[in-house]
Short mmCIF file of all heavy atoms in Angstrom, two decimals:
data_model
loop_
_atom_site.label_atom_id
_atom_site.label_comp_id
_atom_site.label_asym_id
_atom_site.label_seq_id
_atom_site.Cartn_x
_atom_site.Cartn_y
_atom_site.Cartn_z
N VAL A 549 124.01 69.63 127.12
CA VAL A 549 125.08 69.03 126.33
C VAL A 549 124.62 67.65 125.82
O VAL A 549 124.93 67.29 124.65
CB VAL A 549 126.39 68.92 127.13
CG1 VAL A 549 127.55 68.11 126.40
CG2 VAL A 549 126.96 70.29 127.53
N SER A 550 123.99 66.87 126.70
CA SER A 550 123.51 65.56 126.25
C SER A 550 122.61 65.63 125.10
O SER A 550 122.70 64.86 124.14
CB SER A 550 122.82 64.89 127.45
OG SER A 550 121.66 65.66 127.82
N ARG A 551 121.65 66.62 125.06
CA ARG A 551 120.73 66.76 123.94
C ARG A 551 121.44 67.30 122.76
O ARG A 551 121.12 66.84 121.62
CB ARG A 551 119.62 67.69 124.28
CG ARG A 551 118.69 67.02 125.45
CD ARG A 551 117.51 67.93 125.74
NE ARG A 551 116.72 67.35 126.84
CZ ARG A 551 115.77 66.42 126.56
NH1 ARG A 551 115.59 65.99 125.41
NH2 ARG A 551 115.11 65.90 127.70
N VAL A 552 122.42 68.23 122.85
CA VAL A 552 123.09 68.73 121.75
C VAL A 552 123.92 67.62 121.06
O VAL A 552 124.04 67.51 119.84
CB VAL A 552 124.03 69.82 122.15
CG1 VAL A 552 124.96 70.28 120.96
CG2 VAL A 552 123.23 71.06 122.62
N ALA A 553 124.57 66.74 121.92
CA ALA A 553 125.39 65.62 121.35
C ALA A 553 124.52 64.70 120.55
O ALA A 553 124.84 64.31 119.47
CB ALA A 553 126.02 64.90 122.47
N ALA A 554 123.26 64.40 121.08
CA ALA A 554 122.38 63.53 120.32
C ALA A 554 121.86 64.09 119.09
O ALA A 554 121.82 63.51 118.04
CB ALA A 554 121.18 63.11 121.29
N ARG A 555 121.53 65.42 119.11
CA ARG A 555 121.01 66.13 117.91
C ARG A 555 122.16 66.33 116.88
O ARG A 555 121.76 66.32 115.67
CB ARG A 555 120.42 67.47 118.33
CG ARG A 555 119.19 67.23 119.12
CD ARG A 555 118.61 68.55 119.73
NE ARG A 555 117.46 68.29 120.65
CZ ARG A 555 116.82 69.26 121.25
NH1 ARG A 555 117.19 70.53 121.11
NH2 ARG A 555 115.82 68.90 122.08
N SER A 556 123.31 66.47 117.37
CA SER A 556 124.48 66.60 116.38
C SER A 556 124.62 65.31 115.61
O SER A 556 124.87 65.28 114.41
CB SER A 556 125.75 66.91 117.11
OG SER A 556 126.83 66.90 116.22
N ALA A 557 124.46 64.13 116.24
CA ALA A 557 124.56 62.81 115.59
C ALA A 557 123.34 62.67 114.70
O ALA A 557 123.46 62.21 113.58
CB ALA A 557 124.62 61.73 116.66
N LEU A 558 122.17 63.12 115.17
CA LEU A 558 120.92 62.96 114.34
C LEU A 558 120.98 63.92 113.09
O LEU A 558 120.44 63.55 112.09
CB LEU A 558 119.71 63.23 115.16
CG LEU A 558 119.34 62.22 116.24
CD1 LEU A 558 118.18 62.74 117.11
CD2 LEU A 558 118.97 60.88 115.62
N SER A 559 121.69 65.05 113.25
CA SER A 559 121.72 65.89 112.13
C SER A 559 122.52 65.26 110.89
O SER A 559 122.30 65.78 109.72
CB SER A 559 122.44 67.23 112.49
OG SER A 559 123.83 66.98 112.71
N ARG A 560 123.24 64.26 111.16
CA ARG A 560 123.92 63.56 110.03
C ARG A 560 122.91 63.05 109.01
O ARG A 560 123.15 62.87 107.83
CB ARG A 560 124.72 62.38 110.60
CG ARG A 560 125.36 61.42 109.58
CD ARG A 560 126.37 62.10 108.71
NE ARG A 560 126.75 61.30 107.50
CZ ARG A 560 127.51 61.74 106.50
NH1 ARG A 560 127.90 63.00 106.54
NH2 ARG A 560 127.77 60.90 105.59
N GLU A 561 121.67 62.74 109.58
CA GLU A 561 120.65 62.23 108.63
C GLU A 561 120.15 63.23 107.67
O GLU A 561 119.61 62.90 106.62
CB GLU A 561 119.45 61.77 109.49
CG GLU A 561 119.83 60.63 110.47
CD GLU A 561 118.72 59.75 110.88
OE1 GLU A 561 117.73 59.69 110.11
OE2 GLU A 561 118.83 59.11 111.87
N TYR A 562 120.30 64.62 107.90
CA TYR A 562 120.00 65.55 106.90
C TYR A 562 120.95 65.36 105.66
O TYR A 562 120.53 65.43 104.56
CB TYR A 562 120.09 66.96 107.54
CG TYR A 562 118.97 67.44 108.29
CD1 TYR A 562 118.88 67.19 109.60
CD2 TYR A 562 117.82 68.05 107.62
CE1 TYR A 562 117.77 67.62 110.36
CE2 TYR A 562 116.75 68.42 108.30
CZ TYR A 562 116.65 68.25 109.72
OH TYR A 562 115.59 68.60 110.42
N VAL A 563 122.24 65.25 105.99
CA VAL A 563 123.22 65.13 104.96
C VAL A 563 123.01 63.79 104.27
O VAL A 563 123.14 63.65 102.99
CB VAL A 563 124.71 65.23 105.53
CG1 VAL A 563 125.71 65.01 104.43
CG2 VAL A 563 124.91 66.57 106.19
N GLU A 564 122.74 62.64 104.98
CA GLU A 564 122.48 61.43 104.39
C GLU A 564 121.22 61.43 103.48
O GLU A 564 121.23 60.72 102.50
CB GLU A 564 122.24 60.36 105.42
CG GLU A 564 123.55 59.95 106.17
CD GLU A 564 123.28 58.81 107.19
OE1 GLU A 564 122.07 58.58 107.50
OE2 GLU A 564 124.32 58.34 107.79
N PHE A 565 120.26 62.37 103.77
CA PHE A 565 119.14 62.47 102.88
C PHE A 565 119.61 62.96 101.51
O PHE A 565 119.15 62.40 100.50
CB PHE A 565 118.13 63.45 103.44
CG PHE A 565 116.92 63.68 102.60
CD1 PHE A 565 115.87 62.78 102.65
CD2 PHE A 565 116.86 64.72 101.78
CE1 PHE A 565 114.77 62.97 101.84
CE2 PHE A 565 115.73 64.98 100.88
CZ PHE A 565 114.66 64.03 100.95
N PHE A 566 120.46 63.93 101.45
CA PHE A 566 120.95 64.41 100.17
C PHE A 566 121.95 63.45 99.51
O PHE A 566 122.01 63.29 98.28
CB PHE A 566 121.65 65.78 100.39
CG PHE A 566 120.68 66.90 100.59
CD1 PHE A 566 120.67 67.54 101.78
CD2 PHE A 566 119.95 67.35 99.51
CE1 PHE A 566 119.72 68.60 102.01
CE2 PHE A 566 118.97 68.41 99.78
CZ PHE A 566 118.90 68.99 100.99
N GLU A 567 122.78 62.73 100.41
CA GLU A 567 123.80 61.94 99.87
C GLU A 567 123.29 60.53 99.43
O GLU A 567 123.77 59.97 98.46
CB GLU A 567 124.91 61.69 100.94
CG GLU A 567 126.07 60.87 100.50
CD GLU A 567 127.11 60.77 101.62
OE1 GLU A 567 126.84 61.22 102.70
OE2 GLU A 567 128.19 60.15 101.31
N GLN A 568 122.23 60.01 100.11
CA GLN A 568 121.79 58.65 99.87
C GLN A 568 120.39 58.60 99.35
O GLN A 568 120.04 57.89 98.44
CB GLN A 568 121.90 57.76 101.14
CG GLN A 568 123.38 57.66 101.61
CD GLN A 568 123.45 56.84 102.89
OE1 GLN A 568 122.52 56.10 103.25
NE2 GLN A 568 124.54 56.93 103.63
N TYR A 569 119.47 59.37 99.99
CA TYR A 569 118.07 59.17 99.73
C TYR A 569 117.58 59.96 98.51
O TYR A 569 116.69 59.46 97.86
CB TYR A 569 117.31 59.51 100.96
CG TYR A 569 117.51 58.45 102.04
CD1 TYR A 569 118.40 58.68 103.06
CD2 TYR A 569 116.76 57.28 102.05
CE1 TYR A 569 118.67 57.66 104.01
CE2 TYR A 569 116.90 56.31 103.03
CZ TYR A 569 117.92 56.51 104.05
OH TYR A 569 118.17 55.51 104.90
N VAL A 570 118.10 61.20 98.25
CA VAL A 570 117.77 61.80 97.02
C VAL A 570 118.25 61.06 95.82
O VAL A 570 117.49 60.89 94.83
CB VAL A 570 118.25 63.29 97.01
CG1 VAL A 570 118.03 63.93 95.69
CG2 VAL A 570 117.53 64.12 98.05
N PRO A 571 119.54 60.63 95.80
CA PRO A 571 119.89 59.72 94.67
C PRO A 571 119.05 58.42 94.59
O PRO A 571 118.72 57.97 93.52
CB PRO A 571 121.36 59.36 95.04
CG PRO A 571 121.82 60.55 95.79
CD PRO A 571 120.69 60.92 96.64
N LEU A 572 118.70 57.96 95.74
CA LEU A 572 117.77 56.80 95.72
C LEU A 572 116.44 57.07 95.07
O LEU A 572 115.91 56.31 94.33
CB LEU A 572 117.48 56.26 97.18
CG LEU A 572 117.02 54.86 97.37
CD1 LEU A 572 118.03 53.87 96.84
CD2 LEU A 572 116.82 54.64 98.83
N LEU A 573 115.91 58.30 95.35
CA LEU A 573 114.67 58.80 94.71
C LEU A 573 114.94 58.94 93.22
O LEU A 573 114.01 58.54 92.44
CB LEU A 573 114.22 60.09 95.35
CG LEU A 573 113.04 60.80 94.73
CD1 LEU A 573 111.79 59.83 94.79
CD2 LEU A 573 112.77 62.15 95.37
N ILE A 574 116.02 59.54 92.84
CA ILE A 574 116.27 59.74 91.39
C ILE A 574 116.33 58.37 90.70
O ILE A 574 115.76 58.10 89.61
CB ILE A 574 117.62 60.44 91.17
CG1 ILE A 574 117.46 61.92 91.74
CG2 ILE A 574 118.01 60.48 89.69
CD1 ILE A 574 118.75 62.67 91.75
N ARG A 575 117.04 57.40 91.33
CA ARG A 575 117.19 56.08 90.80
C ARG A 575 115.80 55.39 90.70
O ARG A 575 115.53 54.75 89.65
CB ARG A 575 118.05 55.19 91.65
CG ARG A 575 118.38 53.82 91.13
CD ARG A 575 119.24 53.07 92.06
NE ARG A 575 119.51 51.73 91.64
CZ ARG A 575 120.57 51.37 90.90
NH1 ARG A 575 121.53 52.26 90.53
NH2 ARG A 575 120.76 50.07 90.54
#
């Protein structure tokens, strides 16, 4: 459970890549 909880939080970075970093690349 401890590792799943950490990985669930880290998985947010996948969405942030599309939400923040791909637009940053386009810009």
Side-chain angles (χ1 to χ4, degrees):
V549 174
S550 61
R551 293 184 182 275
V552 174
R555 291 172 185 180
S556 175
L558 290 174
S559 70
R560 173 65 190 172
E561 301 206 19
Y562 279 94
V563 179
E564 286 182 352
F565 180 80
F566 286 110
E567 183 178 5
Q568 299 179 17
Y569 290 93
V570 172
L572 201 62
L573 175 61
I574 295 172
R575 185 182 178 92

